[in-house]
Amino acid sequence: MRVFIIAGEPSGDRLGAALMAGLQELVPGVTFDGIGGDGMQGQGLTSRFPMEELSVMGITEILPRYRALMARIRETAQAVIDTRPDVLITIDSPDFSLRVASRVKAASDVRTVHYVAPTVWAWRPGRARKMSAFIDHVLAVLPFEPPLMTAHGMDCDFVGHPVVAERQADNDEALAFRARHGIGEAPLVLVLPGSRRGEVGRLAPVFGAALGSLQNDVPGLRIVVPAAAPVADMVRDLAGKWPVPALVLDPREETTDRAIAEKRAAFRAADVALAASGTVSLELAAARTPMVIAYNMQWLTFRIIKAMALIDTVTLVNLVTDTRVVPEYLGPACTPENIAAGLRRVLANPGDQMAAMELTMQRLGEGGEAPGLRAARAVIDGLARS
């Protein structure tokens, strides 16, 4: 079995790595080609070019790189057409991956699978109909998504989210983390400003100002920032300008396993997290870490998305549980004052989010078969039906 697989950002790389591991368990001898990050390369992929070239989002953010991205789209689609794999699997990153799939389907009969259903429940519902012209099968990570895909003629399986299968640190590891870094019993805020340079550049100064305000009310406040490798230097530089000192965890300074363990322990050790909007909210829910979500973007991008939005929250914990227990501050609301106030409220009542985090993990498949294995089985079954 030959698989061409594409991921464009760290969250997609984790999904791809879990899927690849599942395929190798079920289909000995499976081979991979495509684009991915460290996780997928650890499963045997030789990436055709650095995945970081694709880690861009937002309308105004994409425009300056449009020509380069289009060249990569043409190059990647042609590689699929030339190598004729048994299946093309694209993972999230729709601005890139769906354009590749469309070109491939127009020139071949290669089966196309898209992992992570587009958020048609959030905005632009017409995307499901459009992608049905070139996507055969969708792997959904949220339980309410399959009917939205099958209504347009695509196969769709809910496979769960890999976060439910990831090992979480225990209390001993959390205490060891605090002792190792001299934190003791001090209140600890975990800060996650994103994995793309654009979002880190916009969010880090705002987050720093919010933390500066918070420290006036929280004696002994400590900050830890697990940085994503592609933006670690930028995070270290910007965090160094914050009014409160921050411990930056740079994954490049450790082995991969050690860096993952250190990040996992930080999640468990924290009293509250301040995070950019995205799938990181599910990682925090898996660690049972109460959170505040904040995000800002270019003004034009925000206004367009706001006008097209079908929902009043972007935080997955809120969406999966149909609650609004996780405070979020988006666009113009992403201010130091709002964020600091939200952190104060969560620190005062951290248990308010616990039931929602438990329910989120339950609905995403915690305790069942590993989502990567479920996704692999769905791909294989889909090939058998085609």
Side-chain angles (χ1 to χ4, degrees):
M1 180 179 178
R2 296 178 300 117
V3 176
F4 201 107
I5 186 167
I6 300 169
E9 54 188 331
S11 60
D13 181 56
R14 290 194 296 273
L15 290 167
L19 171 56
M20 290 170 67
L23 286 170
Q24 290 178 97
E25 180 176 339
L26 297 174
V27 187
V30 62
T31 61
F32 300 104
D33 192 359
I35 302 147
D38 291 343
M40 291 166 65
Q41 291 175 48
Q43 292 296 329
L45 177 71
T46 299
S47 187
R48 285 180 171 259
F49 56 82
M51 184 189 73
E52 290 72 24
E53 290 188 23
L54 309 181
S55 293
V56 60
M57 70 177 294
I59 296 164
T60 55
E61 291 84 345
I62 288 173
L63 288 176
R65 297 177 55 184
Y66 179 78
R67 291 172 65 89
L69 285 170
M70 287 303 300
R72 287 302 197 190
I73 288 168
R74 291 190 295 269
E75 171 191 337
T76 304
Q78 192 60 51
V80 180
I81 294 164
D82 291 344
T83 58
R84 294 193 59 80
D86 295 299
V87 61
L88 165 65
I89 302 173
T90 55
I91 306 173
D92 213 357
S93 302
D95 292 310
F96 181 85
S97 61
L98 293 184
R99 284 180 169 85
V100 170
S102 176
R103 288 171 176 263
V104 168
K105 187 60 82 172
S108 75
D109 60 355
V110 171
R111 182 169 175 81
T112 53
V113 177
H114 188 62
Y115 195 174
V116 183
T119 54
V120 297
W121 38 265
W123 70 306
R124 290 172 56 199
R127 286 176 292 169
R129 176 183 54 79
K130 290 179 181 178
M131 69 185 280
S132 68
F134 50 86
I135 293 295
D136 300 307
H137 188 185
V138 178
L139 305 178
V141 301
L142 300 176
F144 52 78
E145 293 175 321
L148 301 173
M149 301 294 109
T150 57
H152 295 281
M154 295 174 283
D155 293 338
C156 186
D157 292 290
F158 168 61
V159 298
H161 197 289
V163 71
V164 302
E166 294 173 359
R167 194 183 83 76
Q168 302 300 318
D170 58 27
N171 287 333
D172 288 343
E173 290 170 289
L175 290 172
F177 177 89
R178 282 176 167 269
R180 188 161 54 249
H181 296 290
I183 298 168
E185 297 182 359
L188 179 62
V189 180
L190 181 79
V191 181
L192 300 150
S195 59
R196 304 178 185 92
R197 294 187 65 83
E199 62 190 5
V200 171
R202 286 189 300 275
L203 293 176
V206 179
F207 284 10
L211 296 167
S213 174
L214 184 66
Q215 74 171 335
N216 296 328
D217 302 312
V218 183
L221 181 70
R222 298 291 299 272
I223 309 297
V224 60
V225 189
V231 293
D233 287 334
M234 186 178 190
V235 169
R236 189 182 296 279
D237 177 61
L238 291 172
K241 300 172 183 176
W242 290 351
V244 54
L247 168 65
V248 177
L249 303 180
D250 188 338
R252 302 170 304 173
E253 297 175 352
E254 305 277 1
T255 64
T256 299
D257 288 346
R258 180 60 196 159
I260 292 171
E262 188 78 341
K263 177 182 176 182
R264 187 185 295 135
F267 272 54
R268 182 75 171 192
D271 295 293
V272 65
L274 169 58
S277 173
T279 56
V280 70
S281 67
L282 297 182
E283 295 181 57
L284 292 166
R288 302 331 192 245
T289 305
M291 68 195 84
V292 170
I293 300 298
Y295 202 82
N296 205 354
M297 59 197 77
Q298 295 286 350
W299 180 87
L300 177 60
T301 301
F302 177 79
R303 297 312 307 174
I304 291 173
I305 292 176
K306 179 72 172 177
M308 300 175 71
L310 304 176
I311 53 175
D312 64 350
T313 178
V314 300
T315 301
L316 289 169
V317 173
N318 290 342
L319 288 164
V320 171
T321 60
D322 195 24
T323 67
R324 299 297 181 265
V325 296
V326 176
E328 60 181 30
Y329 304 100
L330 311 177
C334 181
T335 66
E337 296 77 17
N338 287 343
I339 294 169
L343 288 168
R344 290 187 193 99
R345 287 194 297 271
V346 175
L347 279 169
N349 297 285
D352 288 354
Q353 294 183 23
M354 195 56 64
M357 292 190 289
E358 294 281 355
L359 183 57
T360 297
M361 292 300 103
Q362 175 189 327
R363 289 182 172 173
L364 294 184
E366 189 174 67
E369 184 176 55
L373 188 59
R374 290 175 64 178
R377 202 181 307 281
V379 169
I380 295 165
D381 291 347
L383 276 170
R385 292 192 301 267
S386 64

